[in-house]
Amino acid sequence: MVKLISNVDVNQITCKDTFFLDTNILCAVHFQTTWHPNKIRVYSIFLQTLLMKNITIYVSALSLQELYHLVEKTEYEIYKQSNNSNISKKSYRRMTVERSRIAANLNMMHQQIKRQYTLIDDVLDVADLDSFLSKYTAHIYDPIDFALVNHHASNCPNFITDDKDFQADPNVVVYSYS
């Protein structure tokens, strides 16, 4: 089921409801994206409204891993483009000034995320990958999203995401912009 967040009556959401926040929303709200500013604003307002109502919003360590990898990848691409450089990622990682700048940004982002959401430990293990592969034709997830749903949908079926892959899953309720 898909619920458009612009149509959701947040007054109907109680503190017993919990939500799971996907990486794409974390990235748009806490880092950067090419999304239209109004889309980011709608997600931000929805999240802030839930938080003001003391609704628990979970963020998986797996999602944070994806986010922090994306931040580094994006910063690397920006550096290459800005400096008209073909530097390798390994060489870029050895640049003390860039590494320090990214570390400061990641630490600031991590502290902000820790203050706002409930972070949970998560792992992607061999059993998850076996299940991912054995059910491969029955879903359209990447391995991390598959694991998140398998690990958490039974306890927290509400996923705030812009990823269309979640919309095909009857085990989750997708809260999305569109």
Side-chain angles (χ1 to χ4, degrees):
M1 171 191 296
V2 177
K3 293 187 177 187
L4 299 180
I5 58 177
S6 58
N7 296 336
V8 171
D9 181 358
V10 292
N11 293 320
Q12 299 297 314
I13 299 172
T14 70
C15 60
K16 293 179 184 177
D17 295 311
T18 58
F19 289 80
F20 223 91
L21 189 57
D22 193 27
T23 306
N24 57 14
I25 307 303
L26 281 169
C27 187
V29 172
H30 294 279
F31 179 53
Q32 69 178 29
T33 185
T34 57
W35 292 355
H36 189 277
N38 186 58
K39 184 176 184 176
I40 299 167
R41 185 181 64 74
V42 169
Y43 275 116
S44 295
I45 290 170
F46 184 67
L47 292 172
Q48 288 304 316
T49 303
L50 294 177
L51 292 169
M52 287 185 333
K53 289 185 60 140
N54 292 316
I55 306 295
T56 301
I57 302 174
Y58 295 108
V59 173
S60 167
L62 291 172
S63 296
L64 292 176
Q65 174 273 322
E66 280 187 307
L67 175 64
Y68 300 155
H69 174 76
L70 181 61
V71 168
E72 181 190 50
K73 179 181 172 189
T74 302
E75 293 293 347
Y76 166 63
E77 292 299 330
I78 290 169
Y79 179 87
K80 285 189 350 180
Q81 186 175 14
S82 298
N83 292 285
N84 197 21
S85 172
N86 278 337
I87 189 171
S88 72
K89 188 178 278 188
K90 299 294 182 187
S91 295
Y92 177 73
R93 283 180 176 161
R94 287 191 283 277
M95 296 177 67
T96 307
V97 171
E98 284 296 297
R99 195 74 175 170
S100 295
R101 182 181 64 77
I102 293 171
N105 287 341
L106 288 175
N107 280 309
M108 181 179 64
M109 187 183 308
H110 188 70
Q111 292 307 312
Q112 182 181 53
I113 289 168
K114 277 175 57 172
R115 279 192 307 274
Q116 291 182 332
Y117 313 114
T118 301
L119 304 187
I120 56 172
D121 290 329
D122 234 336
V123 295
L124 182 65
D125 61 22
V126 174
D128 291 317
L129 295 174
D130 287 344
S131 183
F132 170 80
L133 292 171
S134 72
K135 298 174 183 174
Y136 194 77
T137 58
H139 67 80
I140 55 175
Y141 289 122
D142 64 46
I144 290 178
D145 290 342
F146 179 84
L148 291 177
V149 169
N150 269 1
H151 294 177
H152 305 292
S154 62
N155 295 324
C156 180
N158 301 313
F159 281 71
I160 303 169
T161 182
D162 208 66
D163 187 337
K164 303 286 188 235
D165 295 349
F166 287 85
Q167 294 182 5
D169 191 330
N171 298 307
V172 297
V173 178
V174 174
Y175 287 77
S176 186
Y177 180 78
S178 58

